[in-house]
């Protein structure tokens, strides 16, 4: 009887597990003049935000009209900006004074071209880290804070909000109203941290060791291996990442992969000989992935998910 139940369970699991494959790969660079990097979708997947290789400046590429427009030329503005609705983007800018970096958090409206400075000239200000309802979460001097779009004011985080960030190479977790050093794999250099949309899982890379997924208690759920710049899919069922190699001076090859949380399977989406594909980002619908190549070309992968 136990064996029969085990067989039924395995069949049911295989039916529930999702598979992912490439439907098509589209070159979006044909309508762009210049080289662009680190593409991200806006909240309704109608536009991409692009930047330069060193994160200086922001450009908006309209996927419908195939037009591109420059928003600004500010230092650091292209490092992980965040759309909160299709036409409002939040970003951090950096300025160096006497060798020290000072940062500001700003927003830009694509409709009226209005720029608002929310926080100005802070020594240790993060990029916008994640969205929680109508609130933008970030850290100021390594303290989690929020900006409310509704009240247009700065607020403290609630006990229900979860955020992960890096402080002096440590992985820090804010959960249940408390900030603590997380470091589930012990001490080391933690990078590429994020929280699943349902606030239940932590994704991170420990440099020199690999990429992992844990629960909020630090229990390892998945060990992915070498997986650079990893990101949860919007539904939390997959992780997209890149596998890149270099010779110490430049990238020699790089490809995009997806890891399935349902069965631990890994699927290669791009051929390393065809593209040096870097820094993939999910669409909000979860059925597309955008990436840049090492020479600044932008491509979009349409996915088939069964």
């Amino acid at each position: 009887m136990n064996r029969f139940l085990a067989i039924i369970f395995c069949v049911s699991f295989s039916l529930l597990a999702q598979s992912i494959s490439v439907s098509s790969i589209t070159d979006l660079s044909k309508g762009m003049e210049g080289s662009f990097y680190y593409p991200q979708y806006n909240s309704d997947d109608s536009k991409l935000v692009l930047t330069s290789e060193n994160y200086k400046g922001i450009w908006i590429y309209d996927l419908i009209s195939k037009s591109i427009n420059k928003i600004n030329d500010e230092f650091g503005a292209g490092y992980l900006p965040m759309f909160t609705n299709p036409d409002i983007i939040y970003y951090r800018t950096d300025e160096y004074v006497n060798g020290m970096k000072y940062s500001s958090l700003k927003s830009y409206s694509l409709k009226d071209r209005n720029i608002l400075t929310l926080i100005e000239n802070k020594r240790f200000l993060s990029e916008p880290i994640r969205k929680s309802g109508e609130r933008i979460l970030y850290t100021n001097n390594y303290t989690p804070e929020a900006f409310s779009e509704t009240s247009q004011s700065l607020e403290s985080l609630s006990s229900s909000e979860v955020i992960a960030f890096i402080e002096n190479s440590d992985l820090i977790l804010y959960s249940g109203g408390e900030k603590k050093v997380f470091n589930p794999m012990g001490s080391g250099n933690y990078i590429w941290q994020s929280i699943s949309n349902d606030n239940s899982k932590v994704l991170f890379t420990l440099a020199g060791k690999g990429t992992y997924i844990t629960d909020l208690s630090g229990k390892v759920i998945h060990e992915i291996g070498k997986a650079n710049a990893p990101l949860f899919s919007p539904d939390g069922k997959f992780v997209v990442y890149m596998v890149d190699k270099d010779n110490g001076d430049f990238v020699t090859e790089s490809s995009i992969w997806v890891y399935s949380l349902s069965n631990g399977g890994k699927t290669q989406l791009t051929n390393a000989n065809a593209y040096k594909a870097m820094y993939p980002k999910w669409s909000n619908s979860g059925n597309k992935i955008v990436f840049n190549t090492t020479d600044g070309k932008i491509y979009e992968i349409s996915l088939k998910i069964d």
Side-chain angles (χ1 to χ4, degrees):
M1 182 66 176
N2 289 339
R3 183 181 177 186
F4 175 75
L5 289 175
I7 292 173
I8 293 297
F9 175 80
C10 289
V11 171
S12 299
F13 180 82
S14 65
L15 291 174
L16 291 172
Q18 287 186 306
S19 64
I20 193 166
S21 60
V22 175
S23 176
S24 64
I25 299 180
T26 304
D27 182 359
L28 301 179
S29 301
K30 295 177 181 179
M32 307 176 189
E33 293 185 6
S35 300
F36 298 98
Y37 298 83
Y38 318 112
Q40 297 182 74
Y41 291 92
N42 71 336
S43 58
D44 69 358
D45 298 332
S46 66
K47 299 177 179 66
L48 295 177
V49 55
L50 310 171
T51 187
S52 63
E53 193 169 13
N54 65 354
Y55 302 107
K56 185 176 184 289
I58 290 178
W59 288 257
I60 301 297
Y61 178 74
D62 191 306
L63 288 162
I64 299 172
S65 67
K66 310 301 182 186
S67 60
I68 187 167
N69 293 290
K70 189 174 187 177
I71 287 180
N72 65 46
D73 199 32
E74 297 187 88
F75 288 102
Y79 184 72
L80 299 177
M82 178 187 295
F83 274 99
T84 58
N85 67 50
D87 297 304
I88 302 291
I89 184 170
Y90 288 80
Y91 58 95
R92 183 187 66 186
T93 61
D94 299 324
E95 181 181 4
Y96 289 85
V97 179
N98 297 325
M100 296 198 304
K101 185 173 78 170
Y102 293 86
S103 302
S104 300
L105 185 64
K106 301 180 180 181
S107 70
Y108 178 86
S109 169
L110 273 63
K111 286 186 175 180
D112 57 23
R113 301 183 181 180
N114 187 38
I115 300 173
L116 294 178
T117 299
L118 314 177
I119 305 174
E120 194 169 17
N121 297 331
K122 298 296 182 180
R123 283 283 291 124
F124 303 105
L125 182 68
S126 78
E127 73 284 357
I129 295 178
R130 65 185 309 216
K131 188 170 184 273
S132 176
E134 298 302 317
R135 290 152 56 93
I136 312 304
L137 309 187
Y138 61 94
T139 63
N140 182 7
N141 197 26
Y142 303 113
T143 298
E145 294 181 352
F147 176 79
S148 170
E149 291 188 286
T150 303
S151 65
Q152 291 288 292
S153 62
L154 305 180
E155 302 176 347
S156 299
L157 266 67
S158 70
S159 60
S160 64
E161 290 171 316
V162 181
I163 187 173
F165 57 95
I166 304 300
E167 181 178 351
N168 300 322
S169 298
D170 289 323
L171 178 57
I172 308 298
L173 183 67
Y174 177 93
S175 176
E178 296 183 356
K179 170 189 170 183
K180 65 179 180 180
V181 176
F182 194 51
N183 289 2
M185 308 306 297
S187 61
N189 183 23
Y190 286 83
I191 54 176
W192 291 322
Q193 75 290 343
S194 61
I195 303 292
S196 60
N197 282 340
D198 66 358
N199 289 338
S200 68
K201 302 178 188 66
V202 187
L203 172 65
F204 60 88
T205 298
L206 181 58
K209 298 294 184 180
T211 294
Y212 305 84
I213 299 173
T214 72
D215 61 19
L216 297 187
S217 72
K219 179 183 177 181
V220 176
I221 305 171
H222 297 272
E223 183 174 348
I224 302 177
K226 183 177 181 179
N228 292 336
L231 285 173
F232 282 115
S233 60
D235 61 10
K237 295 179 179 180
F238 299 98
V239 170
V240 69
Y241 58 95
M242 65 183 187
V243 177
D244 54 309
K245 298 179 181 179
D246 64 75
N247 61 7
D249 294 318
F250 55 85
V251 174
T252 57
E253 64 177 72
S254 185
S255 54
I256 305 300
W257 292 69
V258 166
Y259 176 86
S260 171
L261 275 68
S262 65
N263 58 21
K266 298 178 181 180
T267 302
Q268 185 173 356
L269 301 184
T270 65
N271 188 322
N273 295 321
Y275 315 92
K276 291 181 183 177
M278 308 279 289
Y279 298 104
K281 290 288 193 302
W282 293 97
S283 65
N284 293 282
S285 63
N287 61 8
K288 291 184 179 181
I289 291 169
V290 68
F291 66 88
N292 68 264
T293 59
T294 53
D295 59 350
K297 303 298 183 183
I298 305 297
Y299 289 85
E300 184 177 63
I301 304 172
S302 294
L303 300 170
K304 181 181 180 183
I305 301 175
D306 298 316

